[in-house]
Amino acid sequence: MSNLSYIAFVDLDRENDAIAGPNIPIKSQFVSNPIVEPSISAHPSDNNTLLASAMIVTDEDRPYQSCRLSSFHSKDGGRTWIETTHNHWGYDPWTAILPDGKAA
């Protein structure tokens, strides 16, 4: 028995494989503030559904004390993004999309 038998793999075909495309900047409503430490997740069975998160530095003189969090959602493989701002401070954002579509 394989040691990997407990892992569920996503069955992708050539038309749905995740392939890197051009770099497309994700714009934040905080236009002049640095966006740092981004992370990104793809839906396990829909490569076009992406979730990203990042820290937004709101005071460049106090970057570690001024990081708020934002998340960004795309349903078209990263061509367009919708930002959700979170009204709290935070660091080191991580994202995940579960097979049922719920995000963490």
Side-chain angles (χ1 to χ4, degrees), residues 20-93:
N23 286 332
I24 298 173
I26 299 175
K27 298 192 188 311
S28 171
Q29 65 177 317
F30 303 102
V31 176
S32 62
N33 298 347
I35 300 174
V36 296
E37 294 194 27
S39 73
I40 191 165
S41 300
H43 189 287
S45 60
D46 178 3
N47 298 344
N48 286 315
T49 299
L50 304 171
L51 174 65
S53 63
M55 298 172 4
I56 312 292
V57 177
T58 60
D59 182 349
E60 291 185 43
D61 294 327
R62 298 178 49 229
Y64 294 105
Q65 295 81 18
S66 71
C67 289
R68 69 173 302 133
L69 299 177
S70 281
S71 57
F72 305 85
H73 181 251
S74 176
K75 288 190 169 200
D76 60 8
R79 289 177 202 79
T80 60
W81 295 88
I82 297 171
E83 180 180 17
T84 299
T85 60
H86 304 285
N87 194 21
H88 57 272
W89 305 105
Y91 301 99
D92 304 324

